[in-house]
Amino acid sequence: MAMQDNKFEPISAVADGELDADELRFLLRRVESDPEAREALGRYHAMSAAVRHEYVPGADSLADRVRASIDGEPAHTAPEASAQAGGATGRWLRPVGGMAIAASVALGVLIVGPTLFDAGNPAQGPVSEPSVAVIQGAPFEGQLERVATSSGGQSAATGAVPIASASLDAEARQRLNAYFVNHSEYAADGQLGTSLKYARIMGHGSER
Amino acid sequence: MSTANADRELVKRVQAGDKQAFDMLVLKYQHKLVKLISRYVHDHAEALDVSQEAFIKAYRAIPNFRGDSSFYTWLYRIGINTAKNHLVSQGRRPPDSDIDAQDAERYDIESRLKDQESPEALAQRDQVQATVISAIEELPEDLRVAITLREFQGMTYEEIAQAMECPIGTVRSRIFRAREAIDRRLRPLISDIGG
C-alpha cells in the first residue's frame, strides 16, 4: 500500500528537476507508458504555475496537442546529437588549426624574411628597388636610408641607397615622403602584416 | 540537480531522438508560454494555437540549441517571434513594448504588459490559485514549510534539507505528500475547467 501511495514521488521529484540522469531515463519511459503519471506531472506543474501567477485555464491541453503534432515529425537522430558533440570537438580543433596556420606563416617569414629585408648582409647585395617598393608601396625619390631589421642582430645600417625617381613634381613628392615617414608605424599593424613590425622606415635627407 | 541542469539533460535527450523528453519540457513550460503569448495574442484559442506553433518550432530547432542560454530563455524568444509573426500575418501591429528574455525570468511580467484575459478566465485562474494557497495553508507544518520553500522560494532539495535540518530523502517525501494533498483539492477543479 505504501508503495502504491508513493508511486508518484519520482514524478514530483522530476517536476523539481531533482532526478539524476539514470532516474530520469527510467521515468521518461514510465511517463510515456503511464497516462496517469503524465497527468500527475501536468497537475504538479499546474500547481507551481498557480503559485507563480502563471496558471492559464485550458493551457493544460497544450501538451497533448503538441505531442500529437510532434508524433508526425521525425525524431532527431543520434548523428545530429553527435554533431553537437562534433561541434564541441570542432571547437577544440579550430584553435589548433589556427595555430598551425600561424606557425606556417611564421616559418615562411623566417625563410623568406631575411632575403627580403636583410640588406645589410653583403652576401645579399644592396637593397633592390622592388624590395623598397613593397615596403613603401608609394613613389619615393631621393636617398632612402636602409631599412633596418631587428632579426638576428644583423641590423647594422650602412649607407644610403639611391632610389629611382618617379614622375611627380617636387612638392607632391615632398608631401608624400613626409606622410609615409610620419605614418610608417601604422603600416606594420595594417595591411602589411606583422612581420614588418620589426621594420622601420626612415626618411631621407633633411625631411626627418 | 538544478532546474537548468534538468532542462539541459532533457534537451540532450530530445537532441538524441527522445520525443518523450520534449513532452516533459512542454508540460513544464506550457502555462508560462501561453501566459507570455497571451500578452500579444489576446484571443485565448488563438494564443493556444500560437503557443502550439512555438513549441513545434522549438522542437524542430532544438538540434541547433547549444545551451548558451537557459532553455526557457531560448523558448521565450521563439514564443515572442512566433506571436509577432502571427500578428503581422493577420495584418495586426505587434506591440512595441518587449520584455527582455533575461528579465522575464526575474520579474513578474504582469506589471509590464496589460493582462488581456477574459473575466471568466481570470475568475478560473483566481479560483485555482486560491485553492492551491488554501490547500498549502492547511498542510501540517513540516509539509507546508517544505513545499513553501520549494514553490515560493525556489530552493533545491539540498538547500531545503539544510534549512529544515533533515535528509534530502525526507524533503523529497514531504514535498510529494504536500503535492498529493494539494492535488486532491485541485484535481476536481481542473477537470471542471476542462484543463
Side-chain angles (χ1 to χ4, degrees), chain B residues 151-170:
Chain B
E151 294 290 14
F152 290 88
Q153 305 297 324
M155 290 167 72
T156 64
Y157 285 7
E158 189 177 356
E159 290 167 338
I160 296 169
Q162 284 171 3
M164 296 184 77
E165 297 179 334
C166 65
I168 288 179
T170 304

Side-chain angles (χ1 to χ4, degrees), chain B residues 7-195:
Chain B
D7 285 358
R8 206 168 295 132
E9 186 62 34
L10 287 169
V11 167
K12 273 168 58 182
R13 290 186 175 280
V14 181
Q15 288 172 336
D18 190 340
K19 289 183 180 180
Q20 187 59 41
F22 192 74
D23 185 46
M24 303 280 270
L25 289 166
V26 178
L27 285 166
K28 182 173 181 178
Y29 290 114
Q30 58 187 355
H31 285 276
K32 202 169 183 173
L33 191 71
V34 176
K35 180 90 175 169
L36 173 73
I37 286 174
S38 297
R39 313 287 167 175
Y40 293 83
V41 181
H42 303 148
D43 179 78
H44 180 67
E46 214 177 322
L48 282 177
D49 288 345
V50 174
S51 302
Q52 181 180 352
E53 189 186 341
F55 272 122
I56 292 167
K57 281 182 180 174
Y59 176 76
R60 288 174 181 159
I62 214 165
N64 302 319
F65 176 67
R66 287 162 51 169
D68 297 332
S69 62
S70 75
F71 173 76
Y72 180 69
T73 301
W74 181 75
L75 178 66
Y76 169 94
R77 291 190 186 116
I78 292 174
I80 293 289
N81 288 335
T82 308
K84 285 182 171 179
N85 289 343
H86 174 78
L87 291 179
V88 170
S89 73
Q90 301 288 311
R92 286 177 275 173
R93 188 168 169 268
D96 296 329
S97 172
D98 261 0
I99 309 151
D100 183 73
Q102 300 294 331
D103 291 346
E105 295 188 60
R106 293 199 297 269
Y107 298 119
D108 179 1
I109 58 175
E110 280 184 314
S111 60
R112 302 287 295 274
L113 288 171
K114 196 180 171 190
D115 206 321
Q116 300 288 336
E117 285 176 277
S118 68
E120 187 191 2
L122 277 171
Q124 287 172 339
R125 190 194 68 184
D126 289 348
Q127 194 179 1
V128 167
Q129 196 173 319
T131 302
V132 171
I133 300 295
S134 157
I136 290 174
E137 284 170 354
E138 289 168 16
L139 290 169
E141 188 182 354
D142 56 346
L143 305 192
R144 189 176 68 244
V145 171
I147 194 77
T148 300
L149 292 178
R150 173 63 215 159
E151 294 290 14
F152 290 88
Q153 305 297 324
M155 290 167 72
T156 64
Y157 285 7
E158 189 177 356
E159 290 167 338
I160 296 169
Q162 284 171 3
M164 296 184 77
E165 297 179 334
C166 65
I168 288 179
T170 304
V171 170
R172 175 169 149 154
S173 170
R174 285 176 181 172
I175 288 174
F176 165 66
R177 281 157 51 211
R179 283 195 173 122
E180 281 294 276
I182 299 165
D183 191 39
R184 280 192 286 275
R185 298 269 304 273
L186 191 61
R187 202 183 312 190
L189 187 59
I190 287 181
S191 298
D192 287 348
I193 289 171

